[in-house]
Amino acid sequence: MSQFWIYFQIGLKHVLDINAYDHVLFLIALTVPYTFKDWKRILLLVSVFTIGHTLALILSVFGIIAIKVNIVEFLIPITILITALYHLFTAGKTSKNDSINLVFFITLFFGIIHGLGFSNYFKTILGGSATSKLLPLGEFALGIEAAQLVVVFVVLVISYIVQTVFRFSKRDWALVMSAFIIGVVIPMIIDSPIWNR
């Protein structure tokens, strides 16, 4: 049980680390257009993202996929930008329901990219064979899922307060938050080491 708690906590800290806020930023971008009544869809999206994240770690642990750190560190803010831009341009439109399969597929793909960003560190904290890393990887994934649900819940509470107390429309909330996220993530892309050749 103590080993479970160790890797579960690593998963929690991976998401909730204030110095590595890209994960939280992506979750905010993902959650912004939804409310509590959309909880099933949000839960599915978050779980699909975790599955993608875990799949990337499995592929990395078994040596099936390897990607340069600079490229991944560049792609992570790109995923946040794309998500925020999508919600910026679809805010208040009901067509979002029609393209939910595409959103799930893209979220899975983005989860893989975010997972690759953590894969090198994850391999360094685990010794032994690739198969011996599967159980800790599952424990780590549960920690990630729990932390993501905490972030999503906080975003939904803030969204509820803004829309009921401050009388923001759902569309305006999505527009403002998406624009804010874009403003935060563009400097991350500009400052990416990938430009230093």
Side-chain angles (χ1 to χ4, degrees):
M1 189 66 190
S2 62
Q3 181 184 305
F4 168 82
W5 186 240
I6 288 167
Y7 291 110
F8 184 83
Q9 278 188 310
I10 292 170
L12 282 175
K13 288 174 184 171
H14 171 59
V15 175
L16 301 175
D17 182 4
I18 199 74
N19 296 317
Y21 55 88
D22 54 350
H23 205 126
V24 171
L25 210 55
F26 179 80
L27 289 170
I28 295 168
L30 193 69
T31 310
V32 142
Y34 302 111
T35 59
F36 277 113
K37 68 180 174 63
D38 304 310
W39 69 269
K40 286 182 184 174
R41 182 171 297 162
I42 299 165
L43 183 61
L44 274 171
L45 280 171
V46 168
S47 298
V48 163
F49 184 76
T50 304
I51 289 165
H53 197 283
T54 306
L55 181 62
L57 291 176
I58 291 169
L59 293 172
S60 177
V61 160
F62 281 93
I64 297 167
I65 192 168
I67 191 164
K68 289 183 179 177
V69 176
N70 280 2
I71 294 171
V72 176
E73 293 301 322
F74 173 72
L75 289 175
I76 288 172
I78 294 290
T79 65
I80 301 166
L81 180 66
I82 291 169
T83 306
L85 283 170
Y86 175 76
H87 290 145
L88 185 74
F89 289 110
T90 59
K93 295 180 182 172
T94 55
S95 61
K96 206 177 294 171
N97 297 344
D98 303 332
S99 60
I100 196 67
N101 290 338
L102 177 66
V103 173
F104 282 130
F105 176 75
I106 291 170
T107 303
L108 177 71
F109 180 67
F110 286 178
I112 291 170
I113 292 171
H114 282 248
L116 289 172
F118 192 69
S119 60
N120 287 336
Y121 174 73
F122 190 78
K123 284 191 284 188
T124 61
I125 61 172
L126 284 177
S129 66
T131 50
S132 71
K133 295 176 183 178
L134 287 176
L135 183 62
L137 208 150
E139 295 160 349
F140 172 75
L142 287 173
I144 284 180
E145 183 76 356
Q148 289 183 158
L149 292 175
V150 168
V151 172
V152 166
F153 181 76
V154 169
V155 172
L156 289 175
V157 167
I158 293 169
S159 173
Y160 176 79
I161 291 167
V162 167
Q163 290 178 50
T164 54
V165 176
F166 298 103
R167 301 289 183 198
F168 262 63
S169 70
K170 186 177 172 182
R171 178 182 172 276
D172 289 348
W173 166 250
L175 286 172
V176 168
M177 286 307 294
S178 296
F180 168 76
I181 291 162
I182 291 165
V184 172
V185 86
I186 285 175
M188 290 169 70
I189 295 167
I190 293 168
D191 294 341
S192 173
I194 203 165
W195 308 115
N196 304 329
R197 292 191 177 221

